[in-house]
Amino acid sequence: MSSQSPFEEVANPFQTDDIGHTPSTDSIDLPSDRDNGLQNDESGQEATSVATLHQSSTESPTQNRPPPIRTSFPNHAQTNKSEFCCGRDQYLHSGDDTEILIVDAVKTADGAASPYIAYVIRTGNVEARRRYSEFESLRNGLAKLYPTLIIPPIPSKQSLSDYAVKQTKAKEDATMISRRKRMLQVFLNRIARHPILSNEHVFHRFLERDVSWSEVLNSPPLSQLPKNILKAPSHNPVEAASSPAYEALPSPSASQPLRNPDQRFLDSETFTNKFATHLSGSMEKVTRRTMKRWSEYAHEHAELGAVLNAFSLSETGSLQAALEKTGQAVDASYMATTVLLQELEQEWTEPLHEYTQFAAIIRKLLAYRHQKHVQYEMTQDSLEAKRHVLEEYEKNEAEARRLEQALNRGRSAVPETTEEEPGDQEEHEQGPGTSSFASRPSSMSRSRSLPSSSDPPRSRKTSGYGFLSALSYSLHGIMDVDPEAARRSNISKTRDSIGQLEDALHASAQDLKYASSTIQADLDRFQRMKVADLRDMTIAVAKIHREWCQKNLEVWLEAKKEIDKIEPHPNQPPQELVDAKEPGSDESPDTGPSRLNGAH
């Protein structure tokens, strides 16, 4: 039963038929046409500028945002810029084949209590020194500034096992430092070639010589980033403080399901999971086993070459020369295999691990978009619930007004009489034939009216009951609320909440639309980059093996020349006779005694 590749089950959702085309996002019903959402330019093309959406009206001097760039990203950074924020920006967009180099790694203790490794970055004629933790903070800052873009990874930290084995020397491991130099250089160049990230002034300051990175971290825009990235605009999280609507947005979890998911992004999640499983699973395991066996092969050839060279010293003549040449060929094979291991590490193993990290980054990116979609649906639900509550309040208010109008009509129908307090003296003053019942209509009408908290309870003759009555009256005055005022207050508060939720829903809809289009565009750019990189990786592996084979062939041909000089074995037939017996030979073999005697 043949094993089936996981890529055969799910089509690649990142691939588009047209490189410059990005699939449109799902239509979202917006509460209004406010905000500067994705629009079309004067030429009728989709000209939503990702960089323009990143701009802030209250932009600080250190926060230079990129110029307008199309949503469908090209493979390289723009080279047709006319305005530059600094010298590094001008160099990166100079139009030449610019490249950022890490030329050295030095041990220093500048500005720190303990020594550390600083990597020397050369950009044109400018050199800057940055330590690994500063690379890490740069990447984290870019990931927060651009939550809808694929930020390239940096090499992984040292594992606990490395620290346990090497202890204090783990940070000074030459192999680890060399690997970090290469992968950090790839990280910087990927940012420099990104159409959006290459315009970020924070990145430019990272490349400058005399810029304190701690000051950059504590100055805008990095210092203005919110703690919760979900309660900030997707196009520019720094604007969260100036957008109160985002405070009303919920903070959903990444595991919360969607009612109406986008099938394109579901396919992207499925493909990314399979891609990550394939890379971090079978491919990396096979690569590790292959590298291990090549390493063992090299060490065994190193031992074999030493043994053959030592053995040649005990022989003489052509045999000594042949053994020495064979030992040299084995040594040369060891050296060629060592070079092969180094080149495979650089051209195959490291890029493969980098794409494993890319897969994890894309999963986080899709999770962010998923949370934004859940946030939009939750805001919709909250708005509908508030509208339902307002409808109930308004119904209650209408019913209360209807009852009040009915009571007012009832009061107007009953004749007004002078209300007198009942008592023995009043009953005595009444004339014959009169009764205390004459005042009942008025008192009954008064009892039908709404109770008033200003009427104190009737005092009782007992002192204990009087104290309790006074206490009850005080509590009643504190807790009693006018129902009409309470209803109107609730209606006013609910309407305010609905207004805030409407603004929040609009902001969430714009974020979801922007995040969907930008993430899809960057996924398309990543797919083109991945195809080109995998092509270069496979070609590099083929060239590495070809050069290894050529070197081995050359040294073993030289060894064969010395081996051929060794006299034939006495128990073996002459070489001429062996050649004559080969198929296709025109010479007829002569096995007579004269031929054999002549050979001897």
Side-chain angles (χ1 to χ4, degrees):
M1 182 176 180
S2 61
S3 60
Q4 186 179 8
S5 173
F7 293 96
E8 297 175 0
E9 300 177 4
V10 180
N12 187 348
F14 303 156
Q15 188 67 43
T16 55
D17 297 333
D18 185 6
I19 290 181
H21 172 68
T22 300
S24 60
T25 57
D26 291 342
S27 58
I28 301 175
D29 295 332
L30 300 180
S32 63
D33 293 332
R34 295 171 295 175
D35 199 64
N36 55 350
L38 301 177
Q39 300 173 351
N40 294 331
D41 59 2
E42 296 177 356
S43 62
Q45 298 176 345
E46 183 187 9
T48 303
S49 169
V50 177
T52 304
L53 289 175
H54 275 278
Q55 291 179 348
S56 171
S57 57
T58 59
E59 196 174 71
S60 62
T62 60
Q63 182 182 356
N64 291 280
R65 291 302 182 188
I69 297 177
R70 289 179 57 85
T71 306
S72 297
F73 301 149
N75 288 328
H76 301 284
Q78 279 189 319
T79 57
N80 57 351
K81 291 180 62 175
S82 58
E83 297 181 1
F84 307 98
C85 63
C86 60
R88 297 307 91 214
D89 187 22
Q90 185 175 4
Y91 173 79
L92 294 176
H93 298 87
S94 60
D96 302 330
D97 189 12
T98 58
E99 186 176 6
I100 302 174
L101 301 175
I102 296 184
V103 295
D104 198 4
V106 295
K107 187 177 181 180
T108 181
D110 294 342
S114 59
Y116 60 90
I117 302 298
Y119 299 92
V120 182
I121 307 169
R122 179 180 296 170
T123 312
N125 56 355
V126 176
E127 289 187 356
R129 293 187 177 187
R130 302 294 181 192
R131 58 190 302 179
Y132 175 82
S133 59
E134 294 175 337
F135 281 90
E136 187 178 21
S137 61
L138 169 65
R139 192 198 173 279
N140 293 336
L142 292 176
K144 292 178 180 179
L145 285 172
Y146 300 91
T148 59
L149 297 182
I150 302 173
I151 310 299
I154 61 174
S156 304
K157 292 183 178 180
Q158 288 276 53
S159 62
L160 294 177
S161 59
D162 294 333
Y163 280 102
V165 172
K166 302 175 184 178
Q167 296 181 359
T168 57
K169 298 296 182 181
K171 293 183 178 181
E172 301 177 11
D173 182 19
T175 303
M176 182 271 295
I177 293 174
S178 299
R179 184 186 304 112
R180 281 189 173 179
K181 280 178 56 180
R182 293 189 297 268
M183 298 190 73
L184 289 175
Q185 178 174 310
V186 171
F187 165 73
L188 294 176
N189 282 284
R190 288 197 186 279
I191 296 178
R193 294 186 178 98
H194 196 282
I196 304 299
L197 301 177
S198 60
N199 297 277
E200 177 55 56
H201 190 54
V202 172
F203 174 58
H204 303 155
R205 300 189 71 188
F206 186 82
L207 303 176
E208 291 290 350
R209 176 181 299 159
D210 299 325
V211 174
S212 172
W213 185 244
S214 60
E215 293 182 2
V216 177
L217 294 177
N218 295 311
S219 61
L222 295 180
S223 62
Q224 297 175 347
L225 288 170
K227 294 182 179 179
N228 189 352
I229 202 69
L230 291 175
K231 291 192 174 184
S234 296
H235 64 276
N236 191 0
V238 177
E239 293 183 351
S242 60
S243 302
Y246 286 92
E247 291 297 327
L249 291 175
S251 298
S253 64
S255 60
Q256 188 165 347
L258 286 167
R259 291 197 310 270
N260 300 309
D262 189 340
Q263 187 60 40
R264 289 183 300 111
F265 289 99
L266 289 180
D267 295 340
S268 297
E269 291 177 5
T270 303
F271 179 81
T272 302
N273 291 334
K274 289 184 176 295
F275 178 70
T277 302
H278 193 76
L279 288 183
S280 60
S282 57
M283 191 172 292
E284 280 201 329
K285 289 180 181 178
V286 171
T287 300
R288 284 196 296 267
R289 289 200 302 266
T290 303
M291 297 293 288
K292 180 181 178 182
R293 290 171 182 174
W294 275 114
S295 179
E296 293 174 352
Y297 177 86
H299 289 305
E300 290 172 357
H301 274 63
E303 295 179 3
L304 179 60
V307 170
L308 288 173
N309 290 326
F311 183 43
S312 67
L313 299 176
S314 62
E315 297 293 336
T316 58
S318 59
L319 180 60
Q320 180 185 10
L323 287 174
E324 183 179 2
K325 203 68 176 179
T326 302
Q328 293 175 359
V330 173
D331 289 338
S333 180
Y334 157 71
M335 297 298 297
T337 306
T338 303
V339 173
L340 177 140
L341 279 168
Q342 295 174 352
E343 293 180 347
L344 283 179
E345 179 75 18
Q346 299 176 21
E347 302 294 338
W348 179 259
T349 305
E350 291 175 2
L352 197 65
H353 179 68
E354 183 190 22
Y355 270 94
T356 303
Q357 293 177 294
F358 264 121
I361 292 170
I362 293 175
R363 280 193 289 194
K364 291 182 179 179
L365 195 69
L366 295 174
Y368 170 80
R369 192 261 169 203
H370 175 88
Q371 288 176 290
K372 277 293 183 181
H373 198 166
V374 174
Q375 189 179 61
Y376 173 76
E377 290 186 348
M378 291 177 66
T379 308
Q380 269 187 328
D381 296 341
S382 299
L383 181 59
E384 292 298 326
K386 285 293 182 182
R387 285 173 176 171
H388 180 71
V389 170
L390 178 61
E391 184 179 355
E392 292 295 327
Y393 281 154
E394 290 176 345
K395 286 181 180 179
N396 294 337
E397 178 68 15
E399 183 67 19
R401 290 180 180 178
R402 188 184 65 80
L403 291 175
E404 185 178 0
Q405 292 174 0
L407 289 174
N408 291 335
R409 286 196 299 268
R411 292 193 191 100
S412 62
V414 178
E416 296 182 359
T417 58
T418 304
E419 297 182 1
E420 297 181 356
E421 291 293 332
D424 297 338
Q425 183 177 359
E426 294 177 357
E427 291 179 0
H428 179 72
E429 293 177 354
Q430 290 176 355
T434 60
S435 172
S436 63
F437 290 97
S439 62
R440 288 187 180 180
S442 177
S443 63
M444 290 176 63
S445 176
R446 184 177 58 206
S447 65
R448 292 195 189 103
S449 63
L450 296 175
S452 175
S453 60
S454 61
D455 296 335
R458 196 176 304 277
S459 60
R460 299 179 180 271
K461 296 179 180 179
T462 309
S463 60
Y465 282 106
F467 173 76
L468 293 176
S469 178
L471 180 60
S472 175
Y473 169 73
S474 300
L475 293 176
H476 181 72
I478 294 174
M479 300 177 61
D480 191 19
V481 180
D482 186 3
E484 183 177 358
R487 286 195 305 270
R488 292 178 179 176
S489 176
N490 290 334
I491 290 174
S492 178
K493 291 179 180 179
T494 305
R495 285 176 178 171
D496 292 341
S497 299
I498 289 175
Q500 293 177 359
L501 287 174
E502 286 177 347
D503 293 340
L505 181 64
H506 180 82
S508 178
Q510 292 293 338
D511 279 355
L512 180 58
K513 182 181 290 186
Y514 175 85
S516 298
S517 60
T518 310
I519 290 174
Q520 185 63 55
D522 214 22
L523 287 176
D524 294 339
R525 183 197 61 83
F526 170 79
Q527 171 65 15
R528 295 190 294 270
M529 181 185 72
K530 184 191 72 174
V531 171
D533 286 348
L534 289 177
R535 176 183 179 275
D536 294 342
M537 289 165 58
T538 52
I539 292 176
V541 170
K543 288 182 178 179
I544 291 169
H545 281 84
R546 183 186 65 183
E547 292 173 359
W548 180 83
C549 293
Q550 288 177 346
K551 291 179 180 177
N552 279 275
L553 181 61
E554 292 173 0
V555 296
W556 283 106
L557 287 175
E558 293 293 329
K560 183 177 180 300
K561 292 179 182 179
E562 294 295 330
I563 294 173
D564 290 339
K565 295 178 182 179
I566 301 176
E567 296 179 358
H569 196 279
N571 296 332
Q572 295 292 332
Q575 185 65 32
E576 294 83 357
L577 184 61
V578 174
D579 294 339
K581 288 184 178 181
E582 292 181 357
S585 178
D586 295 336
E587 300 180 0
S588 59
D590 185 4
T591 57
S594 60
R595 179 68 181 271
L596 296 176
N597 292 332
H600 287 289

